[in-house]
Amino acid sequence: MERHIDPRWWTEGAIGDRVLPMVLAERDIGSLFQFLHQRGWSWFAIATAVSLPDARVREIAAGRRQVLAYTVLERIAEGLEIPRHFLGLGLTAPHQATGAHEATAGHAADVLPEVAAVPHQTAEGLAVRRRVAVCGSRGPESDDRVIDAAVRGLGRLCMTAGLDVSHGPLGVGVEVLTYVADHYRPPGLSHVTGVFGRPNVVRGVVAAVIVGGGGGTRDETDLALAAGVPLIPINASGGAARRAYALLERDVELRRWMPDGDFAMLRTCAEADAITEVVGGLLTRCAGGGT
């Protein structure tokens, strides 16, 4: 039987009362395999697609093993045609980003230390690991069209990359969570409460995404830099984001962690898909998925 992959599964599918975007964001590969099995995929077909032994696929689906390693998650994303950022994977693998040599072909699939019999990781754990400040607002110097795209792109990342958004009582952060509530209806999101005090918005986050903004956002940008928080400015959104991009452009030390190609993308990205792709990859690096 020929395997069929419907790309709409990853955004619209569900298993039980759980939507697939949340399953992928939590990296719940066991539920993902069960979803495919319910749609007529044999365990052998799944194993073939993701380059894992049939017995190992059954163990993962039964909840006896959990997929932990980046390399196996990459094989799953590639084999099942799942967009990388849906599983919280960067644009490039860590070994590609650092220039390290690839492992000998076939060894990862044979040894499989990366598929471990450990307790399942929770969505809450992922959220804490990826707490992100979203700073910005609309104003006379910002581009509303790009901000609209950023809200959609960042909302998608909330569902696919396990983001916990830190934001003020007003602004783009509130818009992002409102978009998530309206379009994805995740359980548990019944209201939005902003953080008071600009230093608190950027405290304890892996990165600060800057979208548009005025004087308040400029203050948050400066506070983030002083605290050593990586900045991810959407330059085309204008306002404080454009200023933040210019700061990174002038001082390469502030963006030493960021690949030049991604920095170039931040200059021009203005559509939701592009914003999701570049920001998702950079957040993976910030959270320890790349170096």
Side-chain angles (χ1 to χ4, degrees):
M1 176 180 176
E2 184 179 356
R3 299 187 301 271
H4 170 69
I5 296 174
D6 185 342
R8 293 175 298 181
W9 286 345
W10 317 134
T11 55
E12 301 174 13
I15 179 166
D17 60 354
R18 300 174 66 208
V19 295
L20 256 292
M22 282 301 297
V23 169
L24 297 174
E26 295 172 21
R27 294 180 173 176
D28 183 356
I29 305 304
S31 293
L32 171 63
F33 288 172
Q34 291 172 18
F35 173 86
L36 293 171
H37 194 58
Q38 290 174 4
R39 275 149 187 79
W41 286 50
S42 68
W43 299 122
F44 178 77
I46 297 171
T48 301
V50 301
S51 301
L52 287 172
D54 178 273
R56 196 58 49 89
V57 165
R58 292 172 184 268
E59 289 177 332
I60 294 168
R64 292 194 295 273
R65 288 186 178 271
Q66 181 191 3
V67 177
L68 299 176
Y70 197 97
T71 52
V72 176
L73 291 168
E74 283 189 310
R75 294 206 301 269
I76 291 169
E78 181 177 356
L80 298 177
E81 301 174 19
I82 301 171
R84 291 174 62 91
H85 59 272
F86 278 34
L87 285 167
L89 303 175
L91 301 181
T92 57
H95 64 76
Q96 293 172 320
T98 60
H101 294 296
E102 293 187 35
T104 303
H107 282 194
D110 294 338
V111 180
L112 292 174
E114 61 273 27
V115 182
V118 297
H120 192 76
Q121 191 173 21
T122 66
E124 180 181 0
L126 283 173
V128 171
R129 184 171 64 85
R130 293 177 182 273
R131 183 166 176 79
V132 175
V134 175
C135 307
S137 60
R138 298 175 188 267
E141 297 181 358
S142 63
D143 187 320
D144 282 354
R145 186 188 66 82
V146 179
I147 292 179
D148 288 344
V151 167
R152 295 194 302 274
L154 295 174
R156 191 179 304 160
L157 280 174
C158 285
M159 296 301 296
T160 60
L163 300 189
D164 177 20
V165 176
S166 175
H167 58 86
L170 299 170
V172 175
V174 175
E175 289 193 50
V176 169
L177 292 183
T178 301
Y179 179 89
V180 170
D182 288 345
H183 289 78
Y184 296 104
R185 305 182 188 279
L189 181 57
S190 59
H191 63 280
V192 174
T193 303
V195 175
F196 286 89
R198 288 169 188 145
N200 296 324
V201 172
V202 297
R203 181 174 290 127
V205 299
V206 299
V209 181
I210 315 298
V211 184
T217 306
R218 289 194 293 271
D219 290 345
E220 289 171 343
T221 298
D222 293 341
L223 288 165
L225 287 174
V229 174
L231 297 185
I232 304 177
I234 308 301
N235 178 66
S237 64
R242 183 170 293 141
R243 170 184 176 267
Y245 188 90
L247 290 174
L248 300 189
E249 195 168 37
R250 287 196 299 269
D251 188 349
V252 69
E253 289 302 320
L254 298 177
R255 56 180 170 89
R256 181 71 67 184
W257 63 277
M258 185 187 303
D260 290 342
D262 288 351
F263 185 63
M265 287 182 67
L266 285 176
R267 174 188 289 277
T268 59
C269 64
E271 303 297 333
D273 287 347
I275 291 170
T276 299
E277 184 178 25
V278 67
V279 175
L282 290 173
L283 290 177
T284 295
R285 297 178 68 84
C286 293
T291 56

